[in-house]
Every structure is written in structure tokens, then in C-alpha cells.
């Protein structure tokens, strides 16, 4: 399974999964159809599946046009997003499994950014391969999604689920927000050496207009303040050792950063 990252709109990423064995493709969160159609044409591939993480237009905006071109493609999304995702035919929840090519993804129910948000995780097929996580707008490189429809408690539980995945997992999140996320992270976790060096790397990459996605879950665990509710530095910023309180406090600071 090959993964292609397509930039869309101002800072979105669409991901195309391609199975070279039979020239089929799946797409994750098509903000718009044209870049996907272009990529499919380049690959000579047939679209068989659309995986959506949540109902926001910058993640499902291309569904209708893609289904118009590939009427047999199946659209997967959250059961809680019923009626909110164009062309949706499959309604997923925690623990469901979906397949593409020779891979099976586990579905995690991760409400917080929206009330129906799900994430797709493809475990590695061998020891030297990474797992592939598509967290939509739940987990970002260096940050997490805003709480539009959920509570801090829901989001903290959702992020805790993703944090349990193996270090050697690539994180294919939905937006290029990494630089601004890490600048905020420095304001609450400035003594973190790994965070400092990550900010240096990401600053250099962005100066050359290079993408910072995917990141590795290991580096998220070490530098993303929204996965570090038990780090003393963040506990002291929030004056609490309670994970939800720490998360809620840091999220609030980020909202006004
Ligand atoms: Zn969103
Ligand atoms: Fe988004």
C-alpha cells in the first residue's frame, strides 16, 4: 500500500492510498475532488473507497464529485455523523475494522473536535514497517484539534487512545499546522530539549515550504503538549496532576495563543 499526500485548500492534506497490485485506490478526507482525480489519473487507478474522519467540509467537500466519477466507491464515516457526510454508506464506531488492499484498519471513536470524529489505524504488517494513523483533526503534529462539539474530557480520552499506539506509527494528520503548534508548545514546555530541536527542524522545513506530515508518534509523545498531561512541566503550568484538568488548561491557553 503506497500513501500519497496531496496538499489542498490553504493547509489541508488529502491522503491517497494506492494498491499497485490491482490499481485500486482509497482516499482519506478529500477536501476537494480535483487534486484526487488528478492523482488517480496519474496512477491510472480506480477509486474504490473514501474514508472520512469527520463531517467538516474541508474533509468531505470532495465526496460528491468523486462519487459522480466513481459511483461504485464506498464511503465510510462515523455512525455519529449520519446525515452529515455526503454519499456516506457505511457507519463506523469504536472497534470496527475496514479494509483496503491487503491491509485492515482499526477504527477508533475519538470525539472532541466533533461529536462523531473517528480515526483509522493500519497496524504494521512486519516488524520493520511503521503503523499508519489517520487521525483527521483529532491529533495534529505538535497539537490537537479545537473543541467544536465535544468536551475537554472527551478529547483527553480520545487522545489517550491514540497515545497508546506504538511509537513507530506514522501520523498523517489533516492540516499543516505544525509550526504554529510547536511555537505554542514552547510557551508551555520550553525546557523540553526534544521540543526545541523539533521546532528548529520544522522551522527550517517550512522556510523551504516542505511538508512536516507525516510525523512519528514517538516524537508526538515526546513533544506534543496535548499528549503530555503527565509531564511535570505541563502539570505545573496547569497547577494540577489530573489529566483532564491539565489537558483542558493547555487547550484553553492554546485557544487564545
Ligand atoms: Zn475539522
Ligand atoms: Fe479540518
Amino acid at each position: 500500500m503506497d500513501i500519497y499526500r496531496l496538499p489542498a485548500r490553504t493547509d489541508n492534506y488529502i491522503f491517497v492510498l494506492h494498491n499497485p497490485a490491482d490499481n485500486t485506490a482509497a482516499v482519506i478526507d478529500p477536501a476537494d475532488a480535483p487534486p484526487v482525480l488528478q492523482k488517480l489519473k496519474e496512477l491510472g487507478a480506480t477509486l474504490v473507497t473514501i474514508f472520512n474522519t469527520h463531517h467538516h467540509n474541508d474533509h468531505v467537500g470532495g465526496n460528491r464529485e468523486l462519487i459522480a466519477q466513481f459511483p461504485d466507491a464506498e464511503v465510510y464515516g462515523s455512525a455519529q455523523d449520519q446525515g452529515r457526510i455526503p454519499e456516506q454508506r457505511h457507519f463506523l464506531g469504536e472497534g470496527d475494522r475496514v479494509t483496503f488492499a491487503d491491509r485492515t484498519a482499526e477504527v477508533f471513536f475519538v470525539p472532541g473536535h466533533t461529536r462523531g470524529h473517528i480515526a483509522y489505524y493500519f497496524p504494521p504488517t512486519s516488524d520493520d514497517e511503521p503503523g499508519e494513523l489517520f487521525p483527521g483533526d483529532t491529533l495534529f503534529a505538535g497539537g490537537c484539534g479545537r473543541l467544536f462539539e465535544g468536551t475537554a474530557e472527551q478529547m483527553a480520552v480520545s487522545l489517550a487512545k491514540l497515545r497508546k499506539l506504538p511509537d513507530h506509527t506514522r501520523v498523517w494528520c489533516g492540516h499543516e499546522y505544525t509550526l504554529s503548534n510547536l511555537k505554542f508548545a514552547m510557551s508551555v514546555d520550553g525546557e523540553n530539549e526534544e521540543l526545541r530541536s523539533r521546532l528548529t527542524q520544522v522551522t527550517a522545513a517550512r522556510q523551504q515550504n516542505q511538508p512536516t506530515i507525516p510525523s512519528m508518534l514517538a516524537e508526538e509523545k515526546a513533544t506534543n503538549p496535548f499528549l503530555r498531561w503527565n509531564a511535570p512541566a505541563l502539570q505545573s503550568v496547569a497547577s494540577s496532576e489530573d489529566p483532564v484538568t491539565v489537558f483542558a488548561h493547555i487547550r484553553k491557553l492554546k485557544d487564545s495563543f
Side-chain angles (χ1 to χ4, degrees), residues 54 56 58-59 113 137:
H54 66 296
H56 283 161
D58 63 320
H59 297 256
H113 176 66
D137 288 355

Side-chain angles (χ1 to χ4, degrees), residues 135-211:
D137 288 355
T138 297
L139 176 64
F140 290 130
C144 76
R146 277 177 190 269
L147 303 178
F148 285 124
E149 298 175 2
T151 63
E153 179 159 19
Q154 285 174 324
M155 189 62 145
V157 171
S158 296
L159 290 168
K161 277 184 202 174
L162 302 183
R163 195 176 78 157
K164 281 201 197 103
L165 293 171
D167 284 357
H168 196 47
T169 299
R170 292 195 287 188
V171 180
W172 303 86
C173 60
H175 291 270
E176 180 62 64
Y177 289 160
T178 318
L179 183 56
S180 61
N181 284 340
L182 294 180
K183 286 179 183 166
F184 167 74
M186 283 294 290
S187 76
V188 290
D189 195 17
E191 301 297 305
N192 180 339
E193 280 306 323
E194 281 182 80
L195 172 58
R196 285 167 188 248
S197 70
R198 188 177 185 191
L199 177 60
T200 306
Q201 283 166 34
V202 163
T203 302
R206 295 307 297 150
Q207 273 165 359
Q208 299 176 45
N209 230 350
Q210 287 167 8

Side-chain angles (χ1 to χ4, degrees), residues 233-249:
L234 292 163
Q235 292 178 337
S236 97
V237 167
S239 312
S240 171
E241 291 185 0
D242 172 60
V244 175
T245 309
V246 175
F247 173 79
H249 187 89

Side-chain angles (χ1 to χ4, degrees), residues 9 14 30 33 36 64 86 89 120 150 159 167-168 187-188 191 197 207 218 221-222 240 248 252-253 257:
R9 303 196 181 186
I14 301 169
V36 180
R64 269 199 191 98
R89 275 210 256 166
Y120 299 89
L159 290 168
D167 284 357
H168 196 47
S187 76
V188 290
E191 301 297 305
S197 70
Q207 273 165 359
K221 293 177 189 179
S240 171
K252 212 164 183 184
L253 291 175
F257 182 71

